[in-house]
């Protein structure tokens, strides 16, 4: 069957960290004793009281460096008494006097906030926020250690879905039919192994979970740092609960008003721009696999992708490097300029007929281990959440080909790799999120951080969201990479820290 890797609803907008992962928390940090939370005493509907009144028991975990707890949430917020689900939490208590809790989401959808805080606390937030807040990571519904989406029993089934190659020519009727069959079978497997939960992992429900977590943590207002997809989650919260917004920072923003095609088209252009920036930089240094101009190098990459469509490279484990897998190997290092040297290694090796580096990068993207297992369920959750959040727009061969032509015109090198999306056309549940701008009327000030050459969440989305929000304030970082706080410059960091700690709202965009 065909690969779904690059022809899903849109590229995973998770927070891509430096390779290898940096910023891990050292074991010498102070241990934290077990404690219980004190929920707020706010008035809620009677059927929600058992959830809002629950007391969290924080126990020492992860070698004693953190505290972990599990919260209960309604599976169906419209029928809270029917069934509950688990939400996994991890926190690092403040090194100073805590203002309150700061909930952090790394993106995705499908990214694990639990793993993010456990593995990369000082990458997620800087020392000033760690001093002033209890930093709380959480796995949203459907994700990882929370009640989770499951779509396979044997990892080989996931390999077949992600890395399988159709024997039919790219874009042909038979190729599209293979694509549809693969996605339909995957959706059916997700329903089989996940059950009813699969229909309740939408962003609106996850935002309601955020309010529940806020209350059980004892915070009257939500303090929240959302990266990438986490910006949509945070903006949705602000729309539902504007009066309960405390300090919200949305870094690497999604525009809630965009259609699924617009998302893919804008991301295609974003990654195309980032790839050109890499090539321009590469051509000025040593050991660059390209020569000539940026345009000629982009043409070389198009030819390389075409050749992989026609004749995939086989790895030692039997998997084949198609253009789809190569695409993900390309975009992963583009999330962060520090990772650009991996691109030179990638192109050099593949041009010599060796797919090893490409599969290493693609496996990192998907969380696949050297043993052929998967670290988490981020891919399954990514697809399931997106299919509830975005309606499938193009379903016929004619409309798919029309969209493919538009994408190729907008981004000639990478646009074709985002074409022919059928991932949600036959999903077991219909989408529930209503596309449109979010204004969050009556909210507290909300900071929206945008990077001018962010490939995964392009800058135009940050500008759009900041404008849509009634009380949105844009912070621009002029640079490369996906997201900016704690990984760009002091201008961005100071603006975010001063807002979280002192409530200072920039009078105007500082243009960092």
């Amino acid at each position: 069957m065909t690969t779904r890797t690059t022809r899903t609803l849109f590229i995973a907008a998770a927070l891509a960290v430096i390779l290898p992962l940096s910023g891990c928390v050292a074991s010498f940090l102070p241990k934290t004793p077990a404690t219980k939370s004190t929920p707020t005493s706010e008035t809620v509907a009677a059927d929600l009281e058992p959830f809002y009144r629950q007391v969290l028991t924080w126990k020492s975990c992860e070698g004693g460096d953190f505290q972990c707890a599990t919260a209960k949430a309604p599976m169906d917020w419209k029928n809270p008494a029917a069934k509950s689900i688990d939400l996994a939490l991890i926190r690092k208590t403040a090194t100073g006097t805590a203002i309150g809790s700061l909930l952090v989401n790394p993106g995705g959808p499908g990214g694990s906030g639990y793993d993010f805080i456990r593995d990369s606390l000082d990458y997620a937030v800087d020392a000033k926020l760690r001093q002033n807040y209890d930093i709380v990571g959480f796995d949203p519904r459907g994700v990882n250690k929370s009640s989770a989406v499951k779509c396979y029993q044997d990892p080989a089934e996931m390999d077949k879905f992600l890395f399988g190659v159709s024997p039919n020519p790219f874009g042909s009727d038979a190729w599209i039919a293979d694509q549809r069959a693969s996605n339909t079978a995957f959706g059916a497997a997700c329903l089989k192994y996940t059950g009813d939960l699969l229909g309740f992992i939408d962003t609106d429900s996850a935002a309601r979970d955020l309010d529940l977590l806020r209350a059980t943590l004892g915070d009257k207002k939500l303090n929240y740092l959302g990266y990438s997809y986490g910006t949509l989650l945070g903006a949705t919260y602000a729309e539902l609960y504007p009066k309960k917004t405390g300090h919200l920072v949305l870094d690497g923003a999604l525009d809630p008003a965009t259609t699924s095609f617009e998302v893919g088209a804008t991301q295609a252009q974003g990654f195309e721009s980032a790839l050109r920036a890499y090539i321009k930089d590469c051509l000025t240094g040593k050991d660059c696999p390209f020569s000539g101009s940026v345009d000629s190098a982009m043409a070389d990459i198009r030819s390389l992708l075409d050749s992989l469509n026609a004749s995939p490279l086989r790895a030692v484990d039997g998997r084949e490097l198609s253009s789809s897998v190569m695409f993900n190997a390309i975009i992963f290092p583009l999330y962060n300029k520090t990772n650009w040297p991996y691109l030179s290694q990638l192109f050099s090796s593949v041009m010599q007929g060796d797919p090893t580096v490409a599969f290493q990068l693609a496996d990192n993207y998907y969380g696949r281990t050297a043993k052929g297992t998967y670290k988490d369920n981020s891919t399954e959750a990514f697809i399931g959440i997106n299919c509830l959040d975005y309606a499938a727009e193009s379903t016929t061969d004619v409309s798919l080909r029309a969209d493919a032509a538009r994408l190729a015109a907008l981004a000639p090198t990478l646009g074709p790799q985002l074409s022919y999306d059928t991932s949600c056309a036959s999903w077991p549940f219909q989408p529930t999120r209503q596309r449109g701008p979010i204004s969050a009327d009556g909210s507290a000030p909300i900071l929206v951080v945008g990077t001018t050459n962010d490939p995964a969440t392009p800058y135009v989305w940050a500008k759009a969201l900041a404008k849509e929000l009634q009380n949105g304030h844009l912070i621009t970082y002029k640079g490369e990479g996906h997201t900016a706080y704690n990984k760009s410059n002091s201008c961005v960091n100071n603006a975010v820290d001063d807002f979280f700690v002192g409530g200072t709202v920039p009078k105007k965009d500082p243009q960092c």
Side-chain angles (χ1 to χ4, degrees), residues 329-348:
I330 292 171
I331 68 169
F332 192 34
L334 288 175
Y335 278 79
N336 192 307
K337 186 177 181 179
T338 307
N339 296 332
W340 282 3
Y342 288 93
L343 284 167
S344 295
Q345 297 177 31
L346 168 68
F347 287 119
S348 293

Side-chain angles (χ1 to χ4, degrees), residues 52-340:
Y52 273 73
R53 301 286 186 266
Q54 67 183 301
V55 175
L56 301 179
T57 300
W58 292 101
K59 296 181 180 179
S60 179
C61 63
E62 302 296 344
D65 291 332
F66 298 91
Q67 293 178 324
C68 295
T70 301
K72 295 287 185 181
M75 185 172 74
D76 180 0
W77 275 92
K78 294 179 180 179
N79 186 14
K83 190 174 182 180
S84 66
I85 61 173
D86 291 337
L87 300 175
L89 305 168
I90 187 171
R91 77 173 178 181
K92 186 66 180 178
T93 55
T95 58
T97 302
I99 298 172
S101 299
L102 173 61
L103 282 90
V104 182
N105 180 276
S112 170
Y114 182 106
D115 289 353
F116 188 45
I117 296 305
R118 179 196 63 195
D119 297 337
S120 304
L121 175 62
D122 55 353
Y123 187 86
V125 293
D126 69 9
K128 189 169 185 178
L129 294 192
R130 297 198 302 273
Q131 178 183 3
N132 288 276
Y133 283 94
D134 293 335
I135 307 300
V136 180
F138 63 98
D139 283 348
R141 55 175 56 216
V143 176
N144 199 35
K145 295 181 183 296
S146 292
S147 295
V149 174
K150 182 179 179 181
C151 301
Y152 64 88
Q153 286 184 309
D154 184 343
E157 299 172 40
M158 196 66 178
D159 278 354
K160 182 179 179 181
F161 175 63
L162 293 177
F163 302 106
V165 178
S166 170
N168 297 297
F170 176 85
S172 66
D173 289 351
W175 185 93
I176 295 174
D178 285 344
Q179 181 82 354
R180 285 200 180 96
S182 176
N183 286 315
T184 299
F186 185 76
C190 293
L191 179 60
K192 176 182 178 180
Y193 294 123
T194 306
D196 293 342
L197 172 65
L198 193 65
F200 296 99
I201 56 172
D202 57 288
T203 295
D204 184 274
S205 295
R208 295 180 189 276
D209 293 342
L210 267 181
D211 195 58
L212 167 64
L213 295 178
R214 171 200 59 77
T216 59
L217 290 167
D219 293 321
K220 293 182 179 180
K221 300 290 181 71
L222 176 71
N223 300 306
Y224 175 81
L225 172 59
Y227 291 106
S228 202
Y229 160 79
T231 65
L232 178 62
L233 179 58
T236 302
Y237 178 90
E239 183 80 341
L240 292 171
Y241 307 100
K243 299 300 183 181
K244 295 181 180 180
T245 53
H247 300 106
L248 272 65
V249 173
L250 311 178
D251 185 2
L254 289 170
D255 180 2
T258 54
T259 65
S260 60
F261 176 81
E262 289 167 346
V263 170
T266 307
Q267 285 191 320
Q269 294 174 85
F271 279 102
E272 189 104 350
S273 175
L275 183 59
R276 294 182 68 89
Y278 151 73
I279 293 173
K280 182 179 180 180
D281 180 76
C282 178
L283 291 171
T284 64
K286 298 180 180 179
D287 302 321
C288 182
F290 302 101
S291 60
S293 67
V294 172
D295 286 341
S296 66
M298 293 293 281
D300 290 341
I301 295 173
R302 286 195 293 275
S303 296
L304 180 62
L305 292 169
D306 288 343
S307 71
L308 291 173
N309 272 333
S311 183
L313 295 176
R314 186 174 295 276
V316 293
D317 63 4
R319 290 183 294 165
E320 293 181 296
L321 180 64
S322 64
S323 66
S324 297
V325 179
M326 183 63 178
F327 172 80
N328 279 325
I330 292 171
I331 68 169
F332 192 34
L334 288 175
Y335 278 79
N336 192 307
K337 186 177 181 179
T338 307
N339 296 332
W340 282 3

Side-chain angles (χ1 to χ4, degrees), residues 4 8-9 109 158 161-162 183 186 190 201 377-389 423-424 427:
R4 73 101 214 162
T8 52
L9 196 58
M158 196 66 178
F161 175 63
L162 293 177
N183 286 315
F186 185 76
C190 293
I201 56 172
N377 75 328
S378 56
T379 299
E380 301 98 300
F382 168 78
I383 297 172
I385 295 168
N386 277 334
C387 287
L388 292 182
D389 279 354
S423 55
C424 298
W427 194 249

Side-chain angles (χ1 to χ4, degrees), residues 400-415:
L400 287 169
R401 288 198 173 92
D403 285 351
R406 293 165 65 192
L407 286 170
L410 292 169
T413 303
L414 299 182

